[in-house]
Every structure is written in C-alpha cells, then in structure tokens.
Amino acid sequence: MNTPTKADKKFLALFILALMLIIGFIAVYTMNYVKEEQEFQRIKNEAATICENAGFTDVIIRIEGPKKYVGFELYEVIITDKSMKNIGNTKLRTVISSVNEIDMKLKDSCLRCEFEMDGEHYWISDYDGTLYRGLTPISTPGDTQSTYISGNPYEGMSEDSINYTDLGPADDVEKCKDFSALREERRTKTYRWYSANGRTKAIATVSYKNGEGYVSSFSLLEYDAEAVKEAREKLKEEKKSTGSDPYHAGDYSDPEDFYEDYYDDFYDYEDAEDYYYDHS
C-alpha cells in the first residue's frame, strides 16, 4: 500500500476546503432564498389586506425585480384586478401609497407599487406625487377631480371630467372665434386627441349652459390604415397624371405648414410631404 505523499495530502486538503466552500455557498444561498420568499409572502399578505380594506376582493399580487434604483434594489409590487372598470383616483392613490409604505426588510431594498387595470398600469411618481396611467399624468396630489372614468367622453359629460377618460388629456383645445364676446349658449370649445403619427383620432365639442360646460358631441375617428394608405397613393397618382392640385400646395412655403392645414386628407406627414414636393 502506497503512503500518501505531501502532494496528495495537499490536494486532499484543498479538495475538502473547496467542498466546504461550495456547501457553505449553497447553504447561504438557500437561506437567503428562503428569507426572500418569506419576505415576499409577508408583503403580498399586507398588500392583500390593503386591497381588501379598499374594497378589492379578487386581486392577483405578484412581485417583480429587483432593478437598480439610486443605490437600492427596487422590487415592484404589481396588483391586478380584472373585474374593476371604474375606480376613483382617490382610492387608487390610497392603495398605491399604502403599499409603497410597506417596510421592505431585505437589505438595501425598496418597494414600488403599480396597479394594473384594463391593461393599463397606474403608479405614483416619487418626485411630485402625481398619479400616472402609463406615461399619462391623470391626477396631482391637490387635484379636486377624483374620479378616473373608464371609456371615452360622452354627450352630457361635464367639461371638468373630459381629460380623465381612457383617452387621457386632450392634445389640443380650441375656442370658437370671439369666444369671450359671445353669449354663453353660443360659446363652444373643440377638444382634439391625436395618434402617434399626428392624425386626429377623436374630437369632442363642448357647449355651455347655466355657467357649466358639457360635451355636446363626441366622435371617435377610426381608420383602416392600409386602406387609407392605398387610397392616398391612388389619389396621388391620379393628381400627378392630371396635373391638378386641389390643395394648392404651391401656396405654401414649406411642407409643415401645408400638412398642418390638410393633415386629415393625408395618411401621415410623409404622405403630405411627398404630395407637397410633387406639386409645389
């Protein structure tokens, strides 16, 4: 039987040390994992109690993360309730703020709550306390308007509520000519919402009576993008062949001004720009 050499003994010692380190690492990882899962469950339980107290009885709560956030590990508490359609901003703010205040006991970690409803995420800015739907601000801490309204503006809706629907705040508000000089019942405002490519997607007209503004008409403009594009291309070719220019492109100094006056008649800005250079 061979006697172990010094090299064999050294290798055996290193092997045992490495094995102990691996076992120790696994043990620490397991302990941290168990501790983390216990902490997540505690947070979910507290969030569920907050939701129940606010009247939400069928919520799903999950925790995502972590993400790096100003020197902390940020975990997001996502609360989903598919059954809710209308909910006051005040209640949303209360639930989100209460969950944000749950003490996160994991080292160098913090929480941020988001409420998911109808495919939209609601959250509160750490900077100024503004309540957001996606990237759209819908309520500030001192806002007197307290209710988010599911759906679109409708006839009879108060003007005070028009910016709190699924469309979000209007992109443009235009008063009628001589608005201030007209009698109340003859005054109107036109609210417009635009799509990402600048096309008008919705228009609401507001009229006035007894000192209050109300929605007197609302139109949601829906386009078949491919069909519209095909029709515009066909029209453009026809105009080229006949040489006619019903839009008087030559009267404009640049395509931006031209598009501003005729944006409803073209598929997008590029379409109007091509037409402008073909006819000016």
Side-chain angles (χ1 to χ4, degrees):
M1 181 176 180
N2 295 328
T3 302
T5 64
K6 289 184 178 181
D8 292 335
K9 292 179 179 179
K10 184 178 182 180
F11 174 80
L12 180 60
L14 290 174
F15 175 78
I16 293 173
L17 178 61
L19 184 60
M20 292 177 64
L21 289 174
I22 292 173
I23 293 173
F25 174 79
I26 293 174
V28 170
Y29 175 82
T30 302
M31 291 175 61
N32 287 338
Y33 176 80
V34 171
K35 182 180 179 181
E36 185 178 83
E37 288 299 306
Q38 289 175 340
E39 180 67 0
F40 288 169
Q41 189 58 53
R42 181 187 67 84
I43 291 169
K44 289 180 181 180
N45 291 341
E46 289 194 27
T49 299
I50 291 170
C51 290
E52 185 177 347
N53 292 338
F56 302 109
T57 57
D58 189 23
V59 297
I60 299 172
I61 301 173
R62 68 182 190 275
I63 298 178
E64 297 181 354
K67 300 177 181 177
K68 294 295 182 182
Y69 180 72
V70 292
F72 286 85
E73 298 286 339
L74 174 66
Y75 291 88
E76 293 179 316
V77 182
I78 312 296
I79 302 174
T80 304
D81 192 324
K82 296 182 180 179
S83 64
M84 296 298 295
K85 296 295 181 182
N86 297 300
I87 177 174
N89 289 344
T90 300
K91 184 179 288 188
L92 264 177
R93 182 182 293 281
T94 298
V95 171
I96 295 172
S97 297
S98 298
V99 175
N100 282 341
E101 292 173 1
I102 295 175
D103 182 29
M104 181 67 156
K105 296 182 179 179
L106 297 179
K107 185 179 179 181
D108 296 329
S109 299
C110 59
L111 292 177
R112 182 174 67 190
C113 176
E114 292 189 4
F115 200 100
E116 187 177 45
M117 181 172 60
D118 286 343
E120 296 282 1
H121 280 244
Y122 297 79
W123 56 282
I124 294 176
S125 168
D126 294 333
Y127 175 69
D128 60 2
T130 297
L131 177 65
Y132 282 81
R133 181 173 69 247
L135 297 178
T136 303
I138 61 173
S139 174
T140 59
D143 202 337
T144 57
Q145 168 68 32
S146 63
T147 303
Y148 155 65
I149 301 170
S150 181
N152 297 318
Y154 54 84
E155 292 185 16
M157 171 185 280
S158 169
E159 184 181 16
D160 293 337
S161 301
I162 199 169
N163 286 320
Y164 296 90
T165 70
D166 285 344
L167 287 175
D171 297 300
D172 178 59
V173 182
E174 181 182 3
K175 294 180 179 179
C176 66
K177 186 177 180 181
D178 299 325
F179 179 88
S180 300
L182 293 173
R183 295 195 304 271
E184 180 185 47
E185 63 270 17
R186 299 189 64 183
R187 295 175 181 174
T188 61
K189 285 182 187 177
T190 302
Y191 287 73
R192 291 187 178 89
W193 292 261
Y194 300 122
S195 62
N197 64 4
R199 178 177 292 281
T200 302
K201 66 179 181 181
I203 299 175
T205 300
V206 170
S207 301
Y208 295 86
K209 185 177 181 180
N210 299 326
E212 299 290 337
Y214 65 94
V215 177
S216 54
S217 67
F218 174 76
S219 298
L220 186 64
L221 309 179
E222 297 182 356
Y223 297 89
D224 182 335
E226 290 301 320
V228 171
K229 187 174 183 179
E230 184 179 339
R232 296 305 181 200
E233 291 293 333
K234 183 178 180 180
L235 176 62
K236 186 163 63 176
E237 292 302 319
E238 290 176 353
K239 298 305 181 186
K240 281 184 181 180
S241 62
T242 60
S244 63
D245 178 18
Y247 302 111
H248 307 290
D251 295 341
Y252 293 84
S253 59
D254 58 64
E256 288 83 1
D257 290 342
F258 174 70
Y259 180 62
E260 184 175 345
D261 283 351
Y262 293 107
Y263 59 83
D264 274 337
D265 295 300
F266 292 90
Y267 175 68
D268 54 20
Y269 172 76
E270 287 74 17
D271 189 22
E273 185 181 39
D274 290 341
Y275 181 94
Y276 172 82
Y277 285 120
D278 287 339
H279 294 84
S280 64

